[in-house]
């Protein structure tokens, strides 16, 4: 729901040599070379989205009242916010480390896969927890958190599913 996705077909399309990007019939290999960067970008997006959802939720629970007091006064809500903040900070530190490695030309596919898988899984957890803290209001399409919840789901699919990311990571773990 967060973005329009469609299948595209290019049959019998002729591309003039002047418009060719790279070598002819080498597009797949060019794509493969850029996958670590794509996966890092997805991880960066997911980490930033986690931070935005957290801030919006923190503001919501500070303003919203239930049982005659602010929702943020409830210890269970405070503990959930502490858990979310910690998870987001740890994810951000890992994403920052991967970004530094990328800038130095040292980001390997395995680390990029870890960043993508971890950050997008966290984005879905944060979206679910933040929606829950918004209560029934959070599930109304007019709210940002409802849209964030819907948009987060596809992140685990972009750039290779998270199951594929785990396969790529595991290859180096069990390699003989």
């Amino acid at each position: 729901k967060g973005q329009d996705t469609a299948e595209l077909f290019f049959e019998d399309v002729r591309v003039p040599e002047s418009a060719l990007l790279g070598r002819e019939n080498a597009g797949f290999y060019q794509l493969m070379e850029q996958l670590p960067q794509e996966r890092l970008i997805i991880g960066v997006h997911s980490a930033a989205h986690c931070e935005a959802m957290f801030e919006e939720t923190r503001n919501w629970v500070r303003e919203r009242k239930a049982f005659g007091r602010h929702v943020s006064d409830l210890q269970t809500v405070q503990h959930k916010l502490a858990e979310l903040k910690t998870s987001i900070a740890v994810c951000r530190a890992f994403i920052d480390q991967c970004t530094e490695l990328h800038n130095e030309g040292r980001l390997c596919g395995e680390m990029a896969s870890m960043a993508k898988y971890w950050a997008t899984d966290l984005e879905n957890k944060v979206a679910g927890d933040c929606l829950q803290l918004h209560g029934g209001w959070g599930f109304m399409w007019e709210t940002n958190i409802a849209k964030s919840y819907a948009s987060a789901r596809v992140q685990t699919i972009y750039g290779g599913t998270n199951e594929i990311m785990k396969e790529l990571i595991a290859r180096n773990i069990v390699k003989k």
Side-chain angles (χ1 to χ4, degrees), residues 44-64:
V44 168
H45 171 272
S46 291
H49 195 205
C50 287
E51 292 173 359
M53 289 185 290
F54 177 84
E55 290 303 326
E56 184 169 336
T57 301
R58 176 170 44 180
N59 292 337
W60 171 262
V61 299
R62 284 177 171 167
E63 295 173 14
R64 181 77 171 146

Side-chain angles (χ1 to χ4, degrees), residues 8-115:
L8 301 175
F9 296 92
F10 298 98
E11 293 180 23
D12 301 320
V13 174
R14 309 228 4 112
V15 177
E17 195 172 324
S18 63
L20 194 62
L21 301 175
R23 295 184 342 269
E24 187 174 353
N25 295 321
F28 179 74
Y29 300 105
Q30 288 176 265
L31 172 72
M32 293 295 289
E33 289 175 7
Q34 300 306 316
L35 282 175
Q37 180 174 320
E38 177 189 17
R39 291 171 178 157
L40 176 58
I41 290 168
I42 294 167
V44 168
H45 171 272
S46 291
H49 195 205
C50 287
E51 292 173 359
M53 289 185 290
F54 177 84
E55 290 303 326
E56 184 169 336
T57 301
R58 176 170 44 180
N59 292 337
W60 171 262
V61 299
R62 284 177 171 167
E63 295 173 14
R64 181 77 171 146
K65 288 193 173 182
F67 308 111
R69 60 187 186 162
H70 289 103
V71 173
S72 62
D73 293 336
L74 299 168
Q75 188 178 41
T76 56
V77 170
Q78 293 172 6
H79 288 183
K80 179 54 70 179
L81 290 173
E83 291 169 8
L84 290 171
K85 182 73 171 174
T86 302
S87 295
I88 293 166
V90 170
C91 180
R92 176 64 183 267
F94 181 59
I95 294 294
D96 288 349
Q97 178 188 12
C98 289
T99 301
E100 285 181 34
L101 289 170
H102 172 69
N103 290 339
E104 296 167 358
R106 299 185 310 123
L107 180 66
C108 65
E110 182 181 10
M111 288 283 282
S113 295
M114 288 179 192

